[in-house]
Amino acid sequence: MVRIWLLAAVLVLGVAFPLAAHDEKPAAGEEKHDETTIKLSEKQVGAGKFAVSEVQGGMLSKRITVPGSIVPSGDHIARVAVRLLGTVAELRKRLGDTVQAGEVVAVIESREVADAKSEYLATRLVFDLQQTLFNRSTRLFEGKVLSENDFLRARTTFEDARVKIEIARQKLFALSLTAEQIEALPQQPVETLRRQELKAPIAGRVAERRVELGSLVGREGQESELFVIVNLNVVWAELAVPSSDLASIREGQQITIAAGSGAEPSPATIMFVSPLLDKDTRAARVVASVDNAALKWRPGSFITAEIPTDEAAASAVVPKAALQSLKGDTVVFVRTADGFEARRVSIGRQDARLVEVTSGLAAGEHIATANSFILKADLGKAEVEHED
């Protein structure tokens, strides 16, 4: 099957775009056929999809491949919850809606919040009055008009009012009111004191909505969480690394992840290596941070990760797919003005994807890094025609 496909690829390239280098046999007395050159037009090169790339230096590395999955970032997921008994009066966001940090997503009505707000307003009135009286008593005491005992009684009453308003204020904080909301309470209409707005703590999308309009929520209710908001601009890749490979893993290390063989990989950065091993698999949990601004990765996706364990620099490296064997020699196909030239090279170190070229090729030259087997086959075809 592979031979049939290879022959079809050569025929398509040779028939659809006849090669100028071997259109016809050389006449008697003509220059001898160049056995290392394939002449192709720009159109033929484009049709062949040879992925011409510049030869550059690079890093050779040993890599380990481990399984994993995508999960939401723990820093970019939030839950909108209530800490009091109440009824859902408004739901301003639906499943999948985009929200901004601080945006109101729901409103609940609660007797508990109404009582807490009323208590705060009452203690605030008392505090303001006692503060005025205490300031007056201070002036009179300094003017030796007021006795020390009367001054101390005024100060004690003022301190008692200050403690009570602070307790009422802390109750409102416990009910998720902000300082700005508390300061605005004196201007709030009395009939709206029972209403409490719930705001999104982060920007993102509504991933879950767990209540309906009119639902009872809170400590004695059926649900305390109303929404789950997720921001997928950054996700985590959770990996299971065998204990035998942990010595080569470090936090801050750059890795690549892919959804399967042949898929376009994405970079990631290891942010956590668990000090604990799973008691069943004897593998450690490793978490990598993945930039997901393009929303390529969805939580729940299974992935494989390639983790470099040992790196070495090389002055010229080429993909393994660029190498071909020709008459016992290792060759690459170098792009020329007329097409491609089969160039014999010497190779050195290699890893799973790249090979070091020690001679025969210089950084800056351009070579075919894909479908080079078609060029090899076409070169062999031209050689057979020349012999005929």
Side-chain angles (χ1 to χ4, degrees):
M1 181 64 71
V2 174
R3 292 181 178 178
I4 295 175
W5 184 84
L6 178 60
L7 180 59
V10 174
L11 289 176
V12 168
L13 185 60
V15 174
F17 305 103
L19 303 183
H22 14 88
D23 283 343
E24 56 185 41
K25 297 179 183 180
E30 288 187 359
E31 184 181 353
K32 184 179 179 180
H33 176 75
D34 187 347
E35 298 180 350
T36 63
T37 301
I38 301 175
K39 291 186 177 180
L40 294 175
S41 66
E42 290 291 339
K43 187 176 182 181
Q44 290 173 313
V45 172
K49 298 180 180 180
F50 299 116
V52 177
S53 301
E54 182 181 352
V55 178
Q56 297 178 341
M59 301 296 294
L60 297 170
S61 60
K62 295 180 180 178
R63 296 173 179 267
I64 60 172
T65 302
V66 297
S69 62
I70 298 295
V71 299
S73 167
D75 299 327
H76 295 81
I77 184 170
R79 305 177 189 279
V80 179
V82 293
R83 302 174 184 175
L84 50 88
L85 183 64
T87 303
V88 178
E90 294 183 30
L91 289 172
R92 299 187 182 179
K93 293 295 178 180
R94 298 177 298 177
L95 193 65
D97 283 355
T98 300
V99 299
Q100 300 299 321
E103 185 177 0
V104 176
V105 295
V107 177
I108 63 170
E109 292 184 350
S110 168
R111 177 179 177 179
E112 185 177 353
V113 74
D115 290 344
K117 289 179 179 179
S118 299
E119 179 184 350
Y120 171 78
L121 291 174
T123 56
R124 179 166 177 162
L125 286 175
V126 173
F127 173 78
D128 290 342
L129 175 60
Q130 293 301 325
Q131 186 176 38
T132 301
L133 292 176
F134 175 67
N135 291 337
R136 180 183 177 187
S137 297
T138 301
R139 291 193 299 271
L140 293 174
F141 177 70
E142 291 174 348
K144 302 185 183 300
V145 176
L146 190 68
S147 68
E148 183 177 359
N149 287 338
D150 290 339
F151 171 73
L152 291 176
R153 280 195 294 270
R155 188 173 69 177
T156 300
T157 304
F158 169 70
E159 290 296 332
D160 181 65
R162 187 183 63 79
V163 170
K164 288 181 179 179
I165 192 174
E166 186 60 30
I167 293 174
R169 183 181 175 87
Q170 292 302 320
K171 285 183 180 180
L172 294 178
F173 280 133
L175 295 176
S176 301
L177 271 74
T178 64
E180 293 76 13
Q181 289 174 322
I182 295 175
E183 289 301 318
L185 283 180
Q187 289 77 43
Q188 184 175 343
V190 175
E191 60 273 14
T192 63
L193 290 179
R194 67 182 184 277
R195 294 171 64 85
Q196 174 61 26
E197 295 179 343
L198 302 179
K199 298 182 178 182
I202 64 171
R205 294 188 67 194
V206 176
E208 295 182 38
R209 196 184 82 175
R210 298 186 171 181
V211 295
E212 303 298 332
L213 198 63
S215 298
L216 182 66
V217 294
R219 288 192 296 268
E220 300 176 11
Q222 299 177 353
E223 287 285 352
S224 59
E225 293 181 358
L226 278 68
F227 296 97
V228 176
I229 299 173
V230 178
N231 187 331
L232 295 181
N233 287 336
V234 176
V235 294
W236 286 353
E238 286 202 350
L239 313 175
V241 178
S243 57
S244 58
D245 295 320
L246 285 177
S248 303
I249 308 300
R250 66 184 186 279
E251 294 178 0
Q253 190 173 5
Q254 299 296 312
I255 65 173
T256 58
I257 63 170
S261 59
E264 184 70 22
S266 294
T269 304
I270 293 178
M271 56 178 292
F272 172 72
V273 178
S274 175
L276 307 176
L277 296 179
D278 186 274
K279 63 179 181 179
D280 298 320
T281 64
R282 310 307 299 170
R285 176 175 175 251
V286 175
V287 180
S289 178
V290 186
D291 186 356
N292 193 38
L295 301 180
K296 172 183 177 181
W297 300 103
R298 289 180 177 272
S301 303
F302 292 106
I303 59 169
T304 55
E306 285 193 353
I307 305 175
T309 59
D310 186 19
E311 293 186 330
S315 58
V317 295
V318 299
K320 285 187 173 181
L323 300 176
Q324 295 295 333
S325 179
L326 190 63
K327 295 182 179 181
D329 295 325
T330 301
V331 301
V332 296
F333 288 90
V334 181
R335 183 75 166 95
T336 66
D338 297 327
F340 289 94
E341 172 195 353
R343 179 88 59 81
R344 185 175 64 180
V345 296
S346 298
I347 60 175
R349 299 164 297 175
Q350 57 182 288
D351 61 19
R353 296 179 298 172
L354 301 176
V355 177
E356 177 187 22
V357 177
T358 57
S359 65
L361 197 62
E365 293 188 283
H366 291 77
I367 64 171
T369 59
N371 293 336
S372 60
F373 61 90
I374 297 179
L375 297 172
K376 173 185 174 180
D378 194 75
L379 193 61
K381 173 175 171 284
E383 187 175 326
V384 171
E385 292 177 352
H386 177 68
E387 291 176 355
D388 293 342

